[in-house]
Amino acid sequence: MNFKSALYERLEKYAKVDTQSDEASVTFPSTEKQLVLAKILAAELKAIGAKGVKLDKYGYVTAEIPATIKGRRPVIGLLAHMDTAPAASGKGVLPQLHKAWKGGDIIISRRHGLILNTKNCPRLALCKGEDIVTASGDTLLGADDKAGLAIIMTAAEHLLKHKEIPHGTLKIGFTPDEEVGQGVKYFGVKAFGADYAYTFDGDLAGSIEEETFNADGVKITVSGRSVHPGSAKNEMANAARIAADIVASWPENLLPETTSGREGFIMFMDIAAGTEKAAIDGIVRDHDLKKLKDMERQLEAIVAAKRLKYPLAKIELTFTESYRNMKEVIVKHPKVMGNLMAAVREAGLEPRVKPVRGGTDGARLSFMGLPTPNVFTGGYNYHGRYEWVSLDGMNKSAEVLINLARKWAE
Ligand SMILES: [Zn+2]
């Protein structure tokens, strides 16, 4: 099956719509402009013959591909997100297609001196001979996750045209605000009506993910005591310095920049500090819930020691739960990964199951009652100007989707 030209056309069309989400926003979706793409997608779903196409007030686009066989089969959801990361501009994206890449430098932008090659991205070497898509220097590409949208739309079009392919009912869901961690906040799992689902929001061809971090937020506040520095001896508690002391006391081997694979970390990402008051915001991450809790105890012990060291200050520490490792839910439904692995193998790839060093919409959905692992889309270097996607990888992903639909009908 070769869907590459349809996939490229769609990726280009979706990438050109700026759908950057915004962490600071208090509305949902976080940015109005995501609805522009939502409307385009809803119209396109209607045009390809999908049933029950809906765009609701939150910006969720849902639709159905009716079953082509009789008898009850599990209903399968297919999900991708419409927004792009706040970390890099998504305005005026101009995708460039580098056909049959031979292994040398890929010029993203001469003007910015942006070059993509196997030195600055060793993973690229896996895609020799493939068609590579990049942005053009000023923006991210937005293949995360417009590649996912294009894959689902293109595979859906194929399934709607070829009713001889046996499959049960399939549900499509396009969601806003994944990049700001709110993607499924108002998603009606019951109304969606799927028994299991897959997010198409991963990276290189063959990789599939059933495991995310366990994630908590951490906040430390320090109330100090401001005194004229000339008479501060034994009277002053400088909140800014105490905050710095706490951050510096956290072990260097438990930071995002010093860990990989299954190693957890605490990251202090925002510090606002003065003499009177300081606030530290951070995140705690580990695939293993027990280890996550152990790290939190370790930070509590550090803070307790600082309270003794700075008796004039008041130091408070709170943790809030963000999301949990979805593997806990997914392992209870072995067919969800079983069928996915078989679908990947049928597409001629060896599945690589790897833990995500992050979360997915699927993590939240799994705990909302919809087990949802994640499928590759063929891209890499997400959230920045070096982002790229292989059209061949996208094509494989569309094949996997079609294989999955058949598998669940068996
Ligand atoms: Zn994504």
Side-chain angles (χ1 to χ4, degrees):
M1 282 179 277
N2 189 335
F3 304 114
K4 285 202 285 183
S5 62
L7 287 166
Y8 183 65
E9 234 172 74
R10 289 197 165 106
L11 174 65
E12 190 182 34
K13 176 167 132 190
Y14 305 157
K16 283 183 173 171
V17 186
D18 178 9
T19 57
Q20 189 182 50
S21 47
D22 177 6
E23 265 149 352
S25 168
V26 291
T27 63
F28 196 96
S30 67
T31 51
E32 190 79 25
K33 56 194 178 186
Q34 294 181 65
L35 296 174
V36 175
L37 182 57
K39 282 177 194 146
I40 291 172
L41 293 167
E44 199 176 341
L45 283 165
K46 279 184 194 155
I48 64 170
K51 302 290 175 232
V53 178
K54 234 170 48 198
L55 164 55
D56 73 10
K57 63 175 176 180
Y58 301 112
Y60 294 115
V61 180
T62 50
E64 182 181 312
I65 307 174
T68 55
I69 50 166
K70 289 205 168 62
R72 164 82 190 159
R73 296 289 193 287
V75 175
I76 302 303
L78 307 163
L79 302 163
H81 66 88
M82 300 181 285
D83 63 317
T84 61
S89 170
K91 192 173 173 202
V93 176
L94 277 177
Q96 304 183 73
L97 176 57
H98 312 269
K99 277 204 156 179
W101 171 63
K102 289 186 185 64
D105 287 353
I106 294 176
I107 315 273
I108 300 174
S109 165
R110 256 177 232 291
R111 191 162 56 89
H112 295 286
L114 286 190
I115 292 165
L116 178 68
N117 56 34
T118 53
K119 272 189 231 85
N120 60 34
C121 186
R123 298 289 173 100
L124 187 62
L126 299 167
C127 299
K128 208 167 166 184
E130 300 183 0
D131 296 340
I132 306 294
V133 187
T134 65
S136 44
D138 292 306
T139 65
L140 47 63
L141 173 61
D144 175 12
D145 186 26
K146 287 162 180 170
L149 300 173
I151 288 160
I152 293 173
M153 190 69 83
T154 303
E157 181 180 42
H158 183 79
L159 289 169
L160 286 160
K161 248 190 226 154
H162 294 271
K163 300 211 164 53
E164 72 279 7
I165 300 173
H167 63 80
T169 304
L170 305 172
K171 300 276 188 178
I172 293 171
F174 298 143
T175 59
D177 283 345
E178 191 271 351
E179 300 291 0
V180 293
Q182 302 297 329
V184 294
K185 192 173 180 186
Y186 298 106
F187 191 75
V189 167
K190 253 221 170 90
F192 189 53
D195 299 302
Y196 310 107
Y198 298 89
T199 46
F200 285 76
D201 189 19
D203 51 51
L204 296 180
S207 67
I208 51 181
E209 294 149 347
E210 60 170 342
E211 197 172 351
T212 57
F213 272 143
N214 292 291
D216 285 354
V218 56
K219 194 174 184 75
I220 303 170
T221 56
V222 183
S223 306
R225 191 201 280 183
S226 180
V227 180
H228 188 285
S231 54
K233 189 167 184 182
N234 299 327
E235 297 291 337
M236 177 194 274
N238 182 351
R241 201 180 73 78
I242 296 167
D245 188 4
I246 293 169
V247 170
S249 298
W250 182 249
E252 277 185 22
N253 62 344
L254 294 174
L255 300 172
E257 59 268 46
T258 58
T259 51
S260 63
R262 283 176 188 281
E263 298 163 327
F265 60 79
I266 291 184
M267 174 182 180
F268 302 104
M269 49 220 304
D270 193 67
I271 306 173
T275 316
E276 280 281 358
K277 263 196 172 346
I280 305 166
D281 276 302
I283 57 173
V284 191
R285 298 289 188 265
D286 203 295
H287 294 101
D288 183 327
L289 189 56
K290 190 187 165 292
K291 287 186 183 159
L292 180 98
K293 294 291 174 193
D294 287 348
M295 267 195 301
E296 293 180 351
R297 297 298 86 80
Q298 196 174 344
L299 183 59
E300 274 170 2
I302 289 171
V303 166
K306 301 306 174 196
R307 285 188 187 116
L308 295 177
K309 184 175 171 188
Y310 304 106
L312 295 176
K314 188 172 165 216
I315 311 174
E316 279 168 306
L317 170 66
T318 49
F319 297 103
T320 48
E321 183 176 322
S322 301
Y323 57 85
R324 290 291 172 253
N325 188 344
M326 65 181 173
K327 188 169 184 176
E328 185 188 312
V329 176
I330 290 171
V331 290
K332 290 183 191 144
H333 308 273
K335 266 199 136 175
V336 174
M337 283 302 281
N339 280 345
L340 176 56
M341 306 259 268
V344 171
R345 286 202 181 97
E346 266 178 32
L349 297 168
E350 190 44 37
R352 286 192 316 279
V353 185
K354 61 174 182 61
V356 192
R357 282 181 70 77
T360 62
D361 274 350
R364 282 226 190 157
L365 286 171
S366 295
F367 287 94
M368 286 159 77
L370 183 60
T372 307
N374 190 32
V375 184
F376 68 90
T377 55
Y380 212 71
N381 281 351
Y382 293 147
H383 298 190
R385 299 188 298 165
Y386 286 89
E387 185 182 3
W388 58 273
V389 68
S390 158
L391 268 190
D392 299 76
M394 286 177 70
N395 196 65
K396 283 289 177 197
S397 179
E399 262 186 64
V400 167
L401 192 161
I402 293 162
N403 295 343
L404 252 183
R406 272 194 293 102
K407 283 277 148 212
W408 279 105
E410 279 170 8

